[in-house]
Amino acid sequence: MIYFDNAATTQPFKEALETFNTTSEKYFYNTASIHQAGKNAAKLLETARKQILDLMYLPDYDLVFTSSATESNNIAILSTLRHKKQFGKTILTSELEHPSIVNVLAEMKDEGFIVKYIKTTSVGKIDLEDFKEKLDSDVIFVTTMSLNNIIGSVQPIEQMVKILEDYPKAHFHVDATQGIGKTDIDYKGVDTISISAHKFNGVKGTGGLFVKTLDNLHPVFYGGGHEYNVRSGTVNLPGITAMAKALRLTLNNARSVHKRLNDFNEQIRDAVKDLKSIKVQPKDAPYIVNMSFVGAKGEVVVNALSKRGILVSTTSACASRLAELNETLLALKNPGDVIEGSIRISMGHYTTQDDVDALVTALKSVYEELGDVLK
Ligand code: PMP
């Protein structure tokens, strides 16, 4: 099987798995235990925390370890908003967000908050002019992703930080889940930032929330007070040390991987450019190519590729807020048949030239097989 679904999850680095196993064997202790072994585990936890903060160039931030980006996003939104109610009611977000943002904001609407969507440019980025227009003194929360998981568009986070300097009441949250190792975004100035280890070749079940001012965060669920009393529950030290290892390897290799995937991205686009029923979405971060077999259903294309040993994903399945169709592709004003026929090809650290060659052959073969179905 040839894997092109790295935006869904990645294969862990061998080194990250080794770190996970070694920590599980030698430091299985509870980091909250006050005996010597617990203290040693707690020391390792703090070493990993500092390492991750330094690798992200956020040495003055705090980092709360969580189980996933879903959990980090939920904590950032629920914890902040419930304590900001008296200052305003408006939340600004993009049209491009993941369900772990969209569905929490839907809950917040039910609690009386107003959610406004910032417009999207034709290449899938937040429209900064519209952002500025929508900002006012009632805005208490702004949330966006750093890199879109459907087409790979990189968002103007640094510019948003700058714009928000005039709105100190507004908390700025960034869902950086897809962005790690794939952009050079400087997150300094952002109030909270979510990450998830399994998106950068770490182990599943480990995430983080970077926090500029810890005092602004309150527990969402209650327990023994771990992780600064923001996220109680026995700390997943093996997952965390593995995440630190995976982050280091990802960032060390980022440039060479970027270059290689950029080349692969061009090859894939080039291979389908003369196939008239294929529409390819704009390119930004090179690891994603989103293309539509117009006239066919994305699921049919995914299954046809899967039969040929190629694993990709649909994008229409990620719908949640607006309709059955994917929000990101809708925000880019794609017609229904383009959205329905879309697939997401996502590459990663382990993608090779042979994989790309096999993908290209399979795409052409599926195109031929679908024949008259295509428009
Ligand atoms: N945000 C984005 C942009 C994502 O792509 C994902 C994963 N699909 C998540 C959040 C949720 O991450 P996790 O699997 O760690 O909950």
Side-chain angles (χ1 to χ4, degrees):
M1 284 292 181
I2 299 176
Y3 192 63
F4 279 98
D5 198 14
N6 286 276
T9 196
T10 58
Q11 182 185 341
F13 289 127
K14 275 207 168 46
E15 295 88 336
L17 290 175
E18 277 163 20
T19 301
F20 186 94
N21 282 336
T22 308
T23 310
S24 297
E25 279 171 16
K26 302 209 167 122
Y27 292 89
F28 65 86
Y29 312 99
N30 194 320
T31 55
S33 293
I34 56 170
H35 51 63
Q36 191 54 47
K39 280 186 186 137
N40 293 345
K43 200 166 158 209
L44 183 60
L45 173 68
E46 294 318 316
T47 305
R49 196 186 317 270
K50 181 167 178 344
Q51 202 177 22
I52 294 172
L53 286 163
D54 288 344
L55 284 166
M56 291 287 289
Y57 296 104
L58 295 171
D60 300 330
Y61 277 57
D62 284 299
L63 170 59
V64 176
F65 289 115
T66 65
S67 68
S68 60
T70 296
E71 189 184 358
S72 301
N73 286 339
N74 271 263
I75 292 174
I77 297 172
L78 297 173
S79 157
T80 310
L81 283 179
R82 286 191 177 140
H83 290 83
K84 271 186 168 275
K85 261 186 183 150
Q86 69 271 37
F87 301 115
K89 278 198 176 336
T90 304
I91 302 164
L92 298 188
T93 189
S94 82
E95 301 173 304
L96 310 167
E97 300 305 304
H98 184 265
S100 59
I101 296 285
V102 176
N103 293 335
V104 193
L105 294 185
E107 274 300 302
M108 294 295 93
K109 248 183 176 166
D110 291 346
E111 291 191 17
F113 291 97
I114 300 158
V115 181
K116 292 187 182 164
Y117 296 91
I118 310 160
K119 284 187 194 147
T120 314
T121 68
S122 59
V123 289
K125 291 184 191 269
I126 283 184
D127 181 334
L128 289 175
E129 287 312 309
D130 190 54
F131 176 49
K132 282 187 219 158
E133 264 172 43
K134 289 202 164 85
L135 270 170
D136 63 31
S137 61
D138 195 57
V139 174
I140 48 166
F141 201 84
V142 177
T143 176
T144 181
M145 49 183 32
S146 62
L147 201 159
N148 176 261
N149 55 316
I150 306 296
I151 64 162
S153 53
V154 180
Q155 301 306 323
I157 302 301
E158 287 112 327
Q159 288 102 308
M160 292 177 80
V161 167
K162 247 209 123 34
I163 293 165
L164 283 167
E165 280 171 5
D166 293 336
Y167 298 87
K169 219 169 60 177
H171 178 109
F172 186 25
H173 175 65
V174 172
D175 176 3
T177 309
Q178 294 285 345
I180 301 304
K182 286 145 192 149
T183 72
D184 287 335
I185 289 174
D186 177 1
Y187 292 100
K188 254 181 239 85
V190 177
D191 290 293
T192 44
I193 304 142
S194 298
I195 62 166
S196 181
H198 75 98
K199 304 285 185 182
F200 52 90
N201 307 90
V203 177
K204 288 166 188 60
T206 315
L209 182 66
F210 297 90
V211 186
K212 192 166 83 177
T213 312
L214 201 52
D215 286 350
N216 294 347
L217 282 193
H218 305 267
V220 170
F221 47 81
Y222 295 84
H226 309 78
E227 293 299 287
Y228 312 107
N229 198 28
V230 171
R231 197 277 187 182
S232 284
T234 300
V235 171
N236 174 7
L237 189 57
I240 290 165
T241 52
M243 175 157 72
K245 176 65 71 73
L247 184 62
R248 185 163 61 73
L249 293 175
T250 294
L251 297 179
N252 283 350
N253 289 306
R255 269 189 207 292
S256 63
V257 171
H258 184 97
K259 203 162 165 288
R260 189 159 45 88
L261 299 191
N262 201 43
D263 185 30
F264 293 164
N265 187 308
E266 294 294 341
Q267 289 180 35
I268 296 165
R269 282 168 193 272
D270 203 47
V272 298
K273 75 173 188 308
D274 295 328
L275 304 180
K276 77 171 184 21
S277 304
I278 290 191
K279 174 168 169 30
V280 187
Q281 297 297 328
K283 176 181 170 218
D284 201 349
Y287 80 113
I288 293 184
V289 183
N290 189 309
M291 65 171 72
S292 302
F293 285 63
V294 185
K297 293 254 177 279
E299 298 90 277
V300 172
V301 180
V302 169
N303 286 329
L305 286 169
S306 183
K307 270 197 211 128
R308 290 161 173 81
I310 309 278
L311 308 179
V312 303
S313 74
T314 57
T315 38
S316 52
C318 291
S320 54
R321 176 169 50 90
L322 295 173
E324 289 299 303
L325 299 175
N326 180 269
E327 294 103 335
T328 296
L329 299 180
L330 273 175
L332 267 81
K333 303 198 171 43
N334 285 287
D337 53 2
V338 169
I339 303 177
E340 270 169 15
S342 70
I343 59 166
R344 178 184 66 186
I345 296 161
S346 53
M347 299 177 274
H349 181 91
Y350 289 113
T351 307
T352 64
Q353 181 65 57
D354 285 350
D355 294 346
V356 175
D357 293 343
L359 169 72
V360 164
T361 305
L363 286 171
K364 289 182 175 166
S365 149
V366 170
Y367 188 84
E368 262 178 42
E369 181 180 280
L370 290 172
D372 291 344
V373 172
L374 298 173
K375 285 185 184 165

